[in-house]
Amino acid sequence: MKFRIFSLVLLFLISFSALSVEIKASAPEVYVVKKGDTLWQIAGMYLDKPWNWPLLWQKNTQIVNPHLIYPGDTLMLVRNEQGQPALTMVRNEKRQLSLSPKAIRQLKKPDPIPTLSWSIIETHIRNDLVMEKAIYDAQPYLLGDREGAVRFAHTDIVLGKQGGFKPETFQVVRAHSELLSPEGESLGFLVKHVATAEPIETQLDTEMLVRIKGADQEIKQGDRLIPLEQRAQNLQVEMSPAVSQKGNIITSLQDRSLLGKYDTVVVDLGYEEVQAGTVMGVYLQGPDIIDADPLSYDEDEVSLLTFHSESGRIQQPAVKVGEMVIFKTFAKVSYGLITSSTSVIRKGAIVAKP
């Protein structure tokens, strides 16, 4: 049996007169947060620069974290006594009261809406990894089965090498591609999820038997086995604009050459430089122009530097063509979601402050 309990908290009033952000003329006067909304989407309804969302709440000390917005919350634009626009929020604390088999009452609260569209980034957060080659090579791997097969499928029992761990479930992964910086430096290997595997016999000397489960694609000899960590169910992070960080898009997680809104990319900035929630602008810059007779473009900068002095080289300005939000970080690279684009974006695009 389930009972629904609804409660409303006090209205929170914020004066915008002292804020450094402007509300869009098209901002809705009343908006009820729905399941499936994202914080970025809602912030974009009110602001041209969604990453300034926290500034809308800076005068409201009762809102501890403006990034935690729940389905059922109501946002309203009103006018105060002085005629100034103000934002109020009615929080709908929706809980479900249920009885467990042991007749223990439990309160269940809905999750806050995610910062970004979970349906787009879920597979990359849960399944896509970046590993150094030496670490990847050191992981235990699948050897073969009693049928002498080199490819395996769901429910197959396969012999694998043992590692220094015995988790309840393994993740079967495969190196996909090497990630290189614009200068050619190796930043690690993109490692993709293939399947999960359950250990069923671990008492052998150096091997173990595993049963393949939940295969996303064909499994092969040599695929690596790593412990399956608890998987995230959502993404709520604080948005903050990049300040001095600068990097490049080095590849697409979907193996696309032409990129746009809602594509996921890899940038050459690690967790010491950015974090989940960092908002960055995306910029395109044309090739240098060689100011000589005849005029030409520097299509191969390395070779042309030998023949042309810097005084004859004109560097084109970088033009902003989009925005992106970082959603997962590693030692040397990070994943980002392109949230807007006004032009086709390609590998090599610059990412910097928005």
Side-chain angles (χ1 to χ4, degrees):
M1 181 182 297
K2 294 185 178 180
F3 303 91
R4 298 183 181 275
I5 300 176
F6 299 86
S7 64
L8 297 179
V9 299
L10 296 176
L11 295 177
F12 302 128
L13 187 64
I14 308 167
S15 172
F16 292 154
S17 58
L19 297 180
S20 59
V21 293
E22 295 183 359
I23 294 178
K24 284 183 174 180
S26 60
E29 293 186 3
V30 178
Y31 185 77
V32 179
V33 180
K34 304 183 296 295
K35 184 178 181 180
D37 283 345
T38 67
L39 186 62
W40 183 269
Q41 168 200 347
I42 292 177
M45 290 193 298
Y46 289 91
L47 303 168
D48 286 320
K49 299 178 179 180
W51 56 90
N52 282 333
W53 178 252
L55 297 180
L56 293 179
W57 308 92
Q58 64 181 358
K59 297 296 182 181
N60 192 337
T61 58
Q62 298 184 67
I63 296 294
V64 177
N65 189 344
H67 294 89
L68 296 180
I69 307 296
Y70 295 83
D73 288 351
T74 301
L75 305 179
M76 294 181 290
L77 278 177
V78 297
R79 298 277 175 178
N80 61 19
E81 294 179 356
Q82 289 73 38
Q84 298 172 326
L87 179 67
T88 65
M89 182 174 73
V90 177
R91 174 144 287 170
N92 187 359
E93 296 287 357
K94 182 180 179 181
R95 289 178 170 83
Q96 294 181 346
L97 185 63
S98 63
L99 295 179
S100 71
K102 295 182 179 180
I104 299 177
R105 293 186 175 185
Q106 297 177 333
L107 287 176
K108 295 183 179 180
K109 182 179 179 180
D111 293 328
I113 61 173
T115 306
L116 302 171
S117 176
W118 183 244
S119 63
I120 297 176
I121 64 176
E122 175 185 9
T123 184
H124 306 303
I125 286 183
R126 291 184 171 186
N127 298 331
D128 293 344
L129 304 171
V130 175
M131 302 174 70
E132 294 182 8
K133 187 177 188 303
I135 295 177
Y136 175 82
D137 289 342
Q139 303 306 308
Y141 49 90
L142 297 177
L143 294 165
D145 68 359
R146 63 178 180 270
E147 304 295 334
V150 296
R151 291 177 172 81
F152 319 107
H154 179 64
T155 72
D156 283 353
I157 296 177
V158 184
L159 186 69
K161 279 284 189 181
Q162 286 201 41
F165 38 76
K166 294 182 179 180
E168 293 183 0
T169 306
F170 285 99
Q171 185 176 4
V172 184
V173 298
R174 183 182 306 149
H176 178 266
S177 58
E178 186 175 15
L179 301 173
L180 299 174
S181 72
E183 296 75 30
E185 175 193 358
S186 178
L187 303 176
F189 277 78
L190 182 60
V191 177
K192 296 274 191 177
H193 172 88
V194 177
T196 56
E198 175 187 33
I200 58 175
E201 175 56 71
T202 59
Q203 301 303 315
L204 305 176
D205 291 337
T206 59
E207 290 80 35
M208 61 181 171
L209 287 174
V210 298
R211 178 181 286 109
I212 303 298
K213 299 172 59 179
D216 290 344
Q217 55 183 289
E218 194 175 54
I219 301 98
K220 300 178 181 179
Q221 276 183 311
D223 284 346
R224 263 46 185 183
L225 297 165
I226 62 175
L228 179 65
E229 299 178 355
Q230 184 175 1
R231 295 181 168 187
Q233 300 298 320
N234 207 332
L235 178 72
Q236 291 104 21
V237 295
E238 295 188 7
M239 294 181 291
S240 60
V243 179
S244 59
Q245 304 97 313
K246 183 179 178 182
N248 296 89
I249 293 175
I250 58 176
T251 193
S252 158
L253 286 171
Q254 297 105 329
D255 294 323
R256 295 173 181 165
S257 57
L258 303 180
L259 306 170
K261 187 176 181 180
Y262 298 141
D263 280 328
T264 50
V265 297
V266 183
V267 299
D268 58 348
L269 298 169
Y271 50 60
E272 291 186 353
E273 299 158 297
V274 294
Q275 61 185 2
T278 298
V279 182
M280 309 193 78
V282 181
Y283 300 82
L284 293 181
Q285 186 174 29
D288 287 359
I289 299 171
I290 306 304
D291 189 9
D293 189 13
L295 290 168
S296 62
Y297 289 108
D298 184 352
E299 300 293 353
D300 188 353
E301 185 175 339
V302 175
S303 62
L304 286 175
L305 281 173
T306 307
F307 301 101
H308 298 279
S309 65
E310 290 299 321
S311 60
R313 179 185 300 276
I314 298 175
Q315 188 178 62
Q316 297 193 60
V319 178
K320 184 178 178 181
V321 295
E323 291 156 1
M324 61 170 287
V325 181
I326 300 296
F327 64 86
K328 188 174 183 178
T329 61
F330 300 91
K332 296 181 179 180
V333 300
S334 297
Y335 296 165
L337 174 68
I338 298 175
T339 54
S340 67
S341 62
T342 58
S343 176
V344 174
I345 298 171
R346 292 179 172 84
K347 173 183 172 181
I350 299 168
V351 293
K353 64 180 182 180

